[in-house]
Amino acid sequence: MYRNQIRAVDAVIFSTPEYAFGIPGVLKNALDWLVSSGEFTHKPTGVISASPLATGGDKAHASLVQTLKVMTADIQEEYKLIVPVVRTKMDPNGNITDPELERSLLTLIKHLAARISNANHH
């Protein structure tokens, strides 16, 4: 079922925190189940990492991007976003309060949507 769900969508966006300078084990495990089955082959894929640290979860981000590239996901620079000091950009309810972060997220989504639209027209 998990494989079918990934196969059926036009694009995927991952948003992950950084734990011990890496991606959460459950996310890595979920991806490991798909490494050789091809669901991510050329699939437009967004990668967002966030951290309370100034690094924005860059190590988790790099790890996730590398894993997805091994799976031949389509990851362009426009589909990636690192969010440093995330707690200063959201309210206690998880709403975005930082206009630049909001613009960055919308831009990432617009780029993915354009890629999907172009793929569907060819």
Side-chain angles (χ1 to χ4, degrees), residues 78-108:
E78 298 84 16
Y79 310 163
K80 297 191 276 186
L81 179 62
I82 292 175
V83 184
V85 200
V86 69
R87 290 185 180 139
T88 67
K89 298 174 182 179
M90 301 176 80
D91 68 20
N93 295 320
N95 299 305
I96 297 169
T97 57
D98 181 71
E100 185 172 333
L101 175 56
E102 184 175 4
R103 278 191 299 277
S104 296
L105 288 166
L106 289 172
T107 299
L108 183 150

Side-chain angles (χ1 to χ4, degrees), residues 17-18 20-23 49 53 55-65 82:
E18 182 174 88
F21 299 119
I23 62 174
S49 66
L53 302 176
T55 58
D58 61 342
K59 291 169 188 64
H61 188 85
S63 175
L64 181 54
V65 167
I82 292 175

